[in-house]
Amino acid sequence: MAAAEAVREFWRLMGTNDFLAVGTVLADDFVLEWPQSNERIRGGLAALHSSTSDSGRSPMLVKKTSSREWQATDYSGIERCLFRNNETGGRSSVVRLTRGSRFPRHAHEGTEEVVVLSGAVRIGEIDLTAGDYLFTSPGEEHDVVAVSDATIFVSSQRRTPVVE
């Protein structure tokens, strides 16, 4: 395999998080340095496998801003970029809301955490602006109203069915 082709295949496989497959294109004397985390991985397949979980998959999920895909919701002015669904019925996502949009009253079957990334929202009777954090206990019910154009990060541990 030519060097340029090996590099392209390396990055294609890195994007799949299948590090056992990544290791197949690396030489035994391969060295990978990640200066931002001060990590150094040496030795091709064996080294990459030892830095992952037992399944050979990365124990981390990465969703880059550049590849973010926004999906419309059933509610006007609200779109979501789903990061992941969890094993207990909850999910983590970034939600964009246009000023005046409203997500209806919903019930929390588990905990939920919200961080306002930009703009301002009202969750129930609480006004939140960029940088604010909200923790919701199971059983809580509220709606979400965009006071301005806003982006929020939401992570729920269980389902949040609409109740109105």
Side-chain angles (χ1 to χ4, degrees), residues 27-48:
D28 290 336
D29 60 350
F30 175 79
V31 176
L32 174 64
E33 294 194 32
W34 298 109
Q36 67 274 28
S37 60
N38 202 27
E39 295 175 84
R40 177 178 288 160
I41 299 173
R42 298 178 191 200
L45 176 62
L48 280 173

Side-chain angles (χ1 to χ4, degrees), residues 144-160:
V144 180
V145 176
V147 177
S148 70
D149 288 350
T151 304
I152 61 176
F153 170 77
V154 181
S155 183
S156 58
Q157 299 311 305
R158 297 201 183 275
R159 292 178 350 105
T160 55

Side-chain angles (χ1 to χ4, degrees), residues 10-29:
F10 169 81
W11 286 111
R12 185 189 73 76
L13 291 168
M14 286 292 286
T16 69
N17 285 340
D18 182 350
F19 294 109
L20 286 177
V22 172
T24 65
V25 299
L26 303 177
D28 290 336
D29 60 350

Side-chain angles (χ1 to χ4, degrees), residues 35-147:
Q36 67 274 28
S37 60
N38 202 27
E39 295 175 84
R40 177 178 288 160
I41 299 173
R42 298 178 191 200
L45 176 62
L48 280 173
H49 179 64
S50 68
S51 70
T52 62
S53 68
D54 290 339
S55 68
R57 303 284 296 173
S58 172
M60 295 186 288
L61 170 67
V62 177
K63 298 282 187 158
K64 295 284 198 167
T65 302
S66 60
S67 61
R68 192 162 292 160
E69 295 181 16
W70 294 96
Q71 302 294 322
T73 67
D74 293 337
Y75 307 99
S76 178
I78 302 176
E79 55 187 2
R80 171 188 317 269
C81 174
L82 178 66
F83 289 155
R84 73 179 191 97
N85 289 307
N86 69 33
E87 56 283 346
T88 58
R91 61 183 163 201
S92 296
S93 55
V94 173
V95 179
R96 283 196 305 210
L97 306 100
T98 58
R99 181 184 179 130
S101 62
R102 178 178 177 271
F103 187 82
R105 187 173 192 82
H106 53 283
H108 290 271
E109 294 180 0
T111 62
E112 179 179 74
E113 296 180 88
V114 176
V115 177
V116 180
L117 302 175
S118 66
V121 296
R122 180 172 299 118
I123 298 180
E125 300 300 317
I126 308 293
D127 289 324
L128 301 167
T129 59
D132 290 345
Y133 167 85
L134 176 88
F135 175 83
T136 301
S137 296
E140 167 67 19
E141 293 184 9
H142 58 247
D143 63 351
V144 180
V145 176
V147 177

